[in-house]
Amino acid sequence: MVDIATRVHNHNWKIDPIVRSLLDTDFYKLLMCQSIFRNRPDTRVTFSLINRSAHVRLADLVDEGELREQLDHVRSLSLTRGESTWLRGNTFYGKRQMFRSDFMEWFEGLRLPPYHLEKRDGQYELIFEGPWPEVMMWEIPALAVLMELHSRAVLKGMGKFELQVLYARATARLWEKVERLRKLDGLKLADFGTRRRHSFLWQDWCVQALIEGLGGAFVGTSNCRIAMRRDIEAIGTNAHELPMVHAALAETDEELAQAPYRVLADWHEEHEGNLRIILPDTFGSESFFRRAPGWLSKWTGVRVDSGDPEKGAETAIRWWKERGEDPREKLVIFSDGLDVDRIESLHARFSGRVKVSFGWGTLLTNDFRGLTPDDRLAPFSLVCKAVSANGRPTVKLSDNPNKAMGSAEEIARYKRVFGVGTQTAQEVVV
């Protein structure tokens, strides 16, 4: 076990770069990247950092020189032979050779493209532009770098003893959560905490705690490097990025309305089983289900990632019943802002009605709330999203309007096209 407090106190660039590998990313990025490499390799996109928690003035806390140093280090990374062998030869979701040879040859030669960075009103403007398969691979490392530099800035003035106490308290908090969770009969839970983690070392420690504390109830991690290192399952399917970009490329309102389903038709051709998971909320879940083609009801399950999770799961259950499917044979993955109380309540409400699983994110890998003066280590909502495709703006409506992205004009158009009515705003915590 790594003595994290000592490592934090003695941070050394050579042993503690924030991103250590191109595999220090979420598994769904690799699955999506292969699909994009096959179907849309020439699409040009722009990704941008977006700090939803504007009160956290990142540019005032994080040194620009350190940020550039870490980003430049990420650009120097490439797959090692061992990492390539793991991707080429490992079994993922029961399938050997998940990644095709042509994609792997491309990925083995990948270096991430340049970035644009400047300060604006206490925030960093961080932008990535270029071919979609290359630029999309910046999302996770960019977030990991900013989040950990924020943590390091807060911790910089602490002494060794103070750091030991801080991490002891955070460790005790996590273990108390584990002790509550292992009381849940039939629990299935994965680590989804890469994007907004406290640090790489802390995420790795959290995963080890779940392996020991939850046993078979812990089904894996979204982080590819940790999955390889700890010999556990890599978990992930697809994300909002796919329908957002495909929708932006639509020429007409009719094409726009069909974009989410065309994306899933491509996915259907490539994957089966537990990789056939619907993420319905990009342009509103109720609208998605209302218009969904019948073949989608045969898919394995649904991921609920915004809005009221109880309402989202009930909507999916009702949809399956209306199409003659047995919800008890379907999987619902909850993944939005989870912590133990919410996991317990959702597990109690839906166990037996559907197969239930949880993707536990920021409040697994970055719960330092109340452990420092002024609560400066509390997690905050930082995202890196595709904001344009071939020069056209992207939009995300979500089931929570506080997570919506895009200009007011474009959001209004998408709501009209997708038939989205009144939505209930909810606080975005992480």
Side-chain angles (χ1 to χ4, degrees):
M1 297 291 288
V2 173
D3 181 350
I4 298 177
T6 298
R7 283 280 281 274
V8 170
H9 187 261
N10 301 325
H11 263 315
N12 180 297
W13 167 255
K14 291 182 179 179
I15 65 170
D16 279 328
I18 291 173
V19 176
R20 293 153 165 80
S21 162
L22 286 184
L23 284 190
D24 188 7
T25 192
D26 283 336
F27 188 60
Y28 75 81
K29 295 297 289 190
L30 300 188
L31 292 176
M32 292 196 305
C33 190
Q34 177 170 249
S35 180
I36 292 162
F37 177 80
R38 176 185 180 185
N39 298 304
R40 296 275 186 171
D42 298 325
T43 299
R44 297 188 65 83
V45 299
T46 300
F47 270 66
S48 179
L49 186 76
I50 301 168
N51 186 0
R52 294 174 177 152
S53 304
H55 66 281
V56 179
R57 294 174 60 86
L58 280 174
D60 294 343
L61 292 166
V62 172
D63 179 77
E64 183 177 347
E66 291 184 19
L67 175 55
R68 289 186 182 276
E69 189 175 32
Q70 294 286 351
L71 294 174
D72 290 342
H73 175 71
V74 175
R75 292 198 66 212
S76 75
L77 296 172
S78 61
L79 286 187
T80 67
R81 180 174 297 180
E83 291 168 343
S84 178
T85 299
W86 182 73
L87 285 175
R88 285 179 177 269
N90 200 37
T91 298
F92 301 101
Y93 283 82
K95 181 179 179 179
R96 289 191 64 82
Q97 296 182 329
M98 176 73 77
F99 298 101
R100 298 186 304 273
S101 293
D102 60 340
F103 172 74
M104 284 304 306
E105 289 172 7
W106 172 84
F107 193 28
E108 286 161 352
L110 176 66
R111 301 293 189 280
L112 294 193
Y115 59 87
H116 167 82
L117 176 69
E118 63 179 286
K119 294 182 178 180
R120 288 185 182 273
D121 300 324
Q123 303 294 344
Y124 279 114
E125 179 180 272
L126 181 57
I127 296 172
F128 312 96
E129 296 180 298
W132 192 4
E134 297 178 19
V135 172
M136 68 178 294
M137 295 304 295
W138 259 119
E139 177 186 353
I140 306 301
L143 292 172
V145 164
L146 262 300
M147 294 300 296
E148 185 160 347
L149 283 178
H150 173 266
S151 297
R152 291 184 181 189
V154 174
L155 298 173
K156 190 172 292 184
M158 293 187 179
K160 188 173 181 179
F161 185 81
E162 191 176 8
L163 287 167
Q164 290 284 0
V165 172
L166 172 73
Y167 281 103
R169 289 171 175 166
T171 297
R173 172 178 291 177
L174 175 59
W175 195 249
E176 288 171 0
K177 295 181 182 184
V178 170
E179 289 178 325
R180 287 173 60 181
L181 289 173
R182 64 186 179 191
K183 296 176 183 178
L184 302 181
D185 186 42
L187 175 70
K188 296 297 178 186
L189 180 145
D191 158 42
F192 276 18
T194 300
R195 293 188 305 156
R196 288 187 288 270
R197 67 194 182 195
H198 171 76
S199 70
F200 171 80
L201 293 177
W202 183 250
Q203 182 184 12
D204 188 43
W205 189 94
C206 290
V207 167
Q208 292 176 74
L210 295 183
I211 291 171
E212 179 177 323
L214 296 184
F218 180 59
V219 297
T221 175
S222 66
N223 187 286
C224 297
R225 187 171 190 270
I226 294 175
M228 184 181 78
R229 188 181 187 191
R230 300 298 171 192
D231 194 24
I232 56 179
E233 293 290 328
I235 302 293
T237 54
N238 55 71
H240 302 104
E241 173 184 344
L242 287 178
M244 286 173 65
V245 172
H246 279 253
L249 298 174
E251 297 288 348
T252 65
D253 284 358
E254 183 179 351
E255 288 183 7
L256 174 59
Q258 291 303 312
Y261 310 116
R262 291 202 309 273
V263 170
L264 296 182
D266 289 342
W267 196 265
H268 190 89
E269 289 183 5
E270 292 194 53
H271 302 296
E272 57 188 20
N274 283 348
L275 283 174
R276 289 184 178 174
I277 300 295
I278 300 168
L279 180 62
D281 69 315
T282 309
F283 307 121
S285 293
E286 292 202 12
S287 169
F288 178 94
F289 287 123
R290 188 168 61 248
R291 298 159 178 247
W295 55 268
L296 271 175
S297 66
K298 305 296 183 184
W299 273 33
T300 301
V302 164
R303 180 157 71 95
V304 179
D305 194 55
S306 67
D308 181 335
E310 287 88 355
K311 181 179 178 182
E314 295 290 359
T315 299
I317 290 170
R318 185 171 62 251
W319 178 68
W320 282 318
K321 287 181 176 179
E322 290 171 351
R323 282 152 181 77
E325 299 292 325
D326 184 354
R328 293 172 298 179
E329 299 301 318
K330 299 296 185 179
L331 174 64
V332 175
I333 303 171
F334 296 99
S335 61
D336 181 33
L338 297 177
D339 205 6
V340 175
D341 290 346
R342 179 57 62 86
I343 292 172
E344 289 173 334
S345 64
L346 291 171
H347 186 270
R349 177 164 176 169
F350 292 103
S351 289
R353 299 176 62 197
V354 293
K355 298 176 182 178
V356 180
S357 186
F358 299 93
W360 194 11
T362 307
L363 295 180
L364 164 65
T365 61
N366 199 358
D367 188 4
F368 287 73
R369 294 172 295 179
L371 298 184
T372 57
D374 301 323
D375 212 13
R376 296 175 65 207
L377 272 186
F380 57 99
S381 188
L382 188 70
V383 296
C384 183
K385 295 289 188 181
V387 295
S388 72
N390 287 351
R392 298 179 178 182
T394 61
V395 171
K396 179 185 176 187
L397 298 181
S398 181
D399 287 333
N400 179 2
N402 285 341
K403 285 189 172 184
M405 282 179 50
S407 68
E409 181 181 0
E410 285 297 301
I411 287 175
R413 175 185 171 230
Y414 273 61
K415 283 188 173 183
R416 172 180 57 80
V417 169
F418 289 103
V420 176
T422 302
Q423 295 178 302
T424 302
Q426 296 185 336
E427 180 185 4
V428 178
V429 179
V430 290

